Amino acid sequence: MSAALKLRVAGSLAAAGALALSGGSASAACWPHGPQSYTCTGGSIPSGTYSKLKVEGACNVVPDAKIRVLGNVHVAAGAEFDAQSAPSTITIRGNVVGDEGSLVGLGCEPMSYTGNSAHPCTVEPDAHSTITVRGNVRATDAAAVLLNGTTIFGHVTLRGGGSQIPWAIKNNTIRGNLTASGQKTDWLGVLFNKVGGSVTLTDIALSDPDPGAPGVFIVRNTIGWDLRCSGLTPGVSGGFVPGSVNVVGHKATGQCASLV
């Protein structure tokens, strides 16, 4: 990934933070009994227990926030849920759902935890997030999805979407399946994950501006069942370290047959 591309990613998130601080608002609808629902239209989401969380603008989390969501997190079309720039502890009992043009970013970790595959927090770079989703993560036509060091009890299903922001699925524990299909984006990597089910990657077209970019990175994942890849352009890469392969419990097929 080029330095220019990394700067564009940083600029995008910085712009989101600036918007969040420049006049956004958040509202909570109180229930007579029990936790409240929370809708963020811009700004920082504070610590608390919420019945559900809806993100409708450029929203991040308060550094070191402790957030518990009893239901779903819904990131609306064009909205940004940035829980990957500041450390936090977030537990979501339901699903995380991203709509068209949304950005869904969960988790940050220092290099001391994961080496070169780290995604350090912009705020408190030596700290880390602890994010657990007990349901599924689903995104349809999102601008970007970034999952870093997150525990997901269900499935991760990503359909379509893309932008100049790199998509990164790395250092996660996913108990179900991981499926990504139909993305048209600059870069996409599936790295260092533990997946209980299958990983299926289909019809992903990358436009990484670096000359000779190898395509979708599929590096050192431990997969309980199958690894299936087809229609990935310009190709696939198992990384740059000799012997850095994926461990697959059943079969690796298609373009990923050689990545084990």
Side-chain angles (χ1 to χ4, degrees):
M1 191 191 315
S2 68
L5 181 55
K6 290 179 180 178
L7 287 173
R8 287 204 302 274
V9 175
S12 173
L13 293 179
L19 176 60
L21 294 172
S22 66
S25 63
S27 62
C30 295
W31 290 12
H33 303 286
Q36 58 189 355
S37 63
Y38 193 98
T39 298
C40 178
T41 59
S44 296
I45 301 168
S47 296
T49 297
Y50 308 113
S51 61
K52 57 185 177 181
L53 173 62
K54 188 166 185 178
V55 178
E56 296 183 339
C59 298
N60 53 35
V61 297
V62 171
D64 302 306
K66 297 184 185 298
I67 296 170
R68 189 163 64 122
V69 182
L70 304 183
N72 295 335
V73 173
H74 180 203
V75 187
E80 300 178 7
F81 182 38
D82 179 6
Q84 53 128 35
S85 295
S88 60
T89 300
I90 302 176
T91 301
I92 301 163
R93 288 189 183 177
N95 304 314
V96 176
V97 179
D99 288 346
E100 181 179 358
S102 64
L103 183 146
V104 179
L106 301 178
C108 51
E109 300 175 294
M111 291 188 68
S112 60
Y113 272 42
T114 56
N116 289 334
S117 68
H119 178 87
C121 307
T122 305
V123 180
E124 301 179 39
D126 294 329
H128 68 91
S129 298
T130 302
I131 298 180
T132 302
V133 180
R134 295 190 174 273
N136 306 304
V137 174
R138 303 193 304 267
T140 302
D141 295 328
V145 175
L146 304 99
L147 306 178
N148 302 287
T150 298
T151 299
I152 299 162
F153 280 54
H155 306 299
V156 175
T157 306
L158 312 175
R159 307 284 189 194
S163 66
Q164 292 183 332
I165 301 174
W167 292 45
I169 313 299
K170 57 186 181 180
N171 301 310
N172 303 289
T173 298
I174 301 168
R175 295 194 181 182
N177 301 319
L178 167 60
T179 303
S181 63
Q183 284 74 35
K184 292 180 174 60
T185 195
D186 268 17
W187 190 89
L188 191 149
V190 177
L191 309 96
F192 303 94
N193 300 286
K194 296 179 181 178
V195 181
S198 294
V199 173
T200 304
L201 306 172
T202 57
D203 301 322
I204 298 171
L206 302 187
S207 55
D208 192 321
D210 285 355
V216 179
F217 277 73
I218 306 163
V219 181
R220 294 186 67 178
N221 300 284
T222 301
I223 299 166
W225 198 241
D226 289 337
L227 172 59
R228 313 181 189 106
C229 303
S230 64
L232 309 183
T233 58
V236 297
S237 174
F240 301 107
V241 180
S244 180
V245 296
N246 300 278
V247 176
V248 177
H250 194 228
K251 293 181 179 179
T253 60
Q255 290 171 282
C256 290
S258 63
L259 298 183
V260 295

